[in-house]
Amino acid sequence: MKKKIKIAIDSPAAAGAGTQAKLIAKNYNLFYLDTGKIYRFIAYEKIKNKKNFNYRFIKKKIKNLKIKKLQNKKLLSNKVATEASVIAQDIKIRKIVHSFQSKCAYFPPKKFNGSILDGRDIASVIVKDATIKFFITASIRIRALRRFKELKTLKRKITYAEVLKSIKKRDKNDYERKYSPLKRTKDSILINTTNLTKRSCFLKIKKIIDKKLKLDGNL
């Protein structure tokens, strides 16, 4: 890579963006941040510390946040996910999180060729000048099925109907919130993963990225 690159991915819940972001990060040696996990982290902390939960508490937690903490499997629970979608509507919390996200996007560790972030408002708010932007989606039933299978592998007691209901609620919160709603920007490339395997989806995205990087003289 001749210069640092920034890739932005937005998507509704369980569309496969996280999986693709990890594959892209590995292929191009990019620093990866799952921004949604930050809101899940805050939600998890709220559930654990209801009495002490306030903006000062959040600022302290985010200031000292290590990426490894976002890998905690407890963050994947349905309860945490639902709480996270509510917390994400708070403009004060978003500002705290945005600062952390921007730092990761624009100042990744030197060993990386750049950064890749996925979430709900990456292309529209966090990395408006991204090298390339994607909007990854899939049918709601496929997304619910994927999340249901994921939760089952984690031994979670939950039904498909409950997951589907949760996904619909999260979609409503993400698309309709007042601040930084989920939306596809005009310069974001649409990728529908409904009928794509993980591998075929990655190859499709890789082809697009390679073409863009060659045009920019970055490969």
Side-chain angles (χ1 to χ4, degrees), residues 41-53 57 61 72 74-75 79-80:
F41 171 75
I42 295 173
Y44 179 65
E45 290 297 328
K46 179 181 179 180
I47 293 170
K48 286 199 309 176
N49 305 279
K50 284 186 177 180
K51 290 184 179 180
N52 301 317
F53 191 79
F57 174 85
K61 286 291 181 179
N72 184 348
K74 291 182 180 179
L75 301 185
K79 183 178 181 180
V80 169

Side-chain angles (χ1 to χ4, degrees), residues 20-218:
Q20 293 306 316
K22 290 174 186 175
L23 292 172
I24 295 166
K26 183 177 181 180
N27 188 79
Y28 297 97
N29 186 35
L30 303 176
F31 175 78
Y32 169 57
L33 177 66
D34 177 349
T35 63
K37 286 284 181 67
I38 302 173
Y39 292 103
R40 282 173 175 260
F41 171 75
I42 295 173
Y44 179 65
E45 290 297 328
K46 179 181 179 180
I47 293 170
K48 286 199 309 176
N49 305 279
K50 284 186 177 180
K51 290 184 179 180
N52 301 317
F53 191 79
N54 53 44
Y55 294 121
R56 184 180 295 179
F57 174 85
I58 296 169
K59 282 184 178 179
K60 185 177 180 180
K61 286 291 181 179
I62 296 301
K63 183 179 180 180
N64 299 311
L65 179 60
K66 302 296 181 184
I67 298 299
K68 286 185 178 179
K69 289 185 178 181
L70 300 180
Q71 297 172 359
N72 184 348
K73 290 184 178 181
K74 291 182 180 179
L75 301 185
L76 298 175
S77 77
N78 221 37
K79 183 178 181 180
V80 169
T82 301
E83 184 65 50
S85 67
V86 174
I87 283 174
Q89 297 180 55
D90 189 315
I91 185 61
K92 290 184 179 180
I93 294 179
R94 294 200 74 85
K95 285 181 178 179
I96 295 170
V97 174
H98 282 176
S99 178
F100 179 82
Q101 293 172 346
S102 293
K103 183 179 179 181
C104 291
Y106 289 93
F107 304 101
K110 292 182 179 180
K111 66 178 181 178
F112 294 102
N113 292 323
S115 62
I116 178 168
L117 279 67
D118 78 275
R120 302 290 184 267
D121 61 351
I122 309 306
S124 60
V125 178
I126 308 302
V127 196
K128 290 182 178 180
D129 63 341
T131 309
I132 189 164
K133 302 175 181 180
F134 292 99
F135 188 90
I136 297 178
T137 189
S139 71
I140 192 167
R141 294 192 177 281
I142 286 296
R143 290 190 285 126
L145 182 60
R146 289 172 180 169
R147 183 51 52 83
F148 173 67
K149 289 180 178 179
E150 179 185 18
L151 293 173
K152 278 298 180 181
T153 61
L154 295 172
K155 309 298 182 183
R156 299 286 159 79
K157 292 182 179 179
I158 193 168
T159 65
Y160 168 77
E162 289 173 329
V163 175
L164 180 61
K165 183 179 179 181
S166 175
I167 293 287
K168 286 180 177 179
K169 185 175 181 179
R170 291 177 63 191
D171 278 359
K172 182 177 175 61
N173 288 339
D174 290 337
Y175 280 108
E176 298 179 6
R177 65 173 173 242
K178 185 176 181 180
Y179 304 106
S180 300
L182 171 63
K183 63 180 180 181
R184 178 191 172 193
T185 62
K186 291 181 179 179
D187 54 350
S188 290
I189 298 169
L190 179 65
I191 303 290
N192 191 314
T193 69
T194 301
N195 299 311
L196 294 176
T197 63
K198 292 178 183 179
R199 179 65 179 170
S200 61
C201 184
F202 169 69
L203 292 176
K204 183 175 183 177
I205 293 174
K206 181 180 182 298
K207 186 176 181 180
I208 294 170
I209 295 175
D210 286 347
K211 183 178 180 180
K212 172 64 176 175
L213 295 182
K214 285 179 181 177
L215 284 174
D216 291 350
N218 206 30

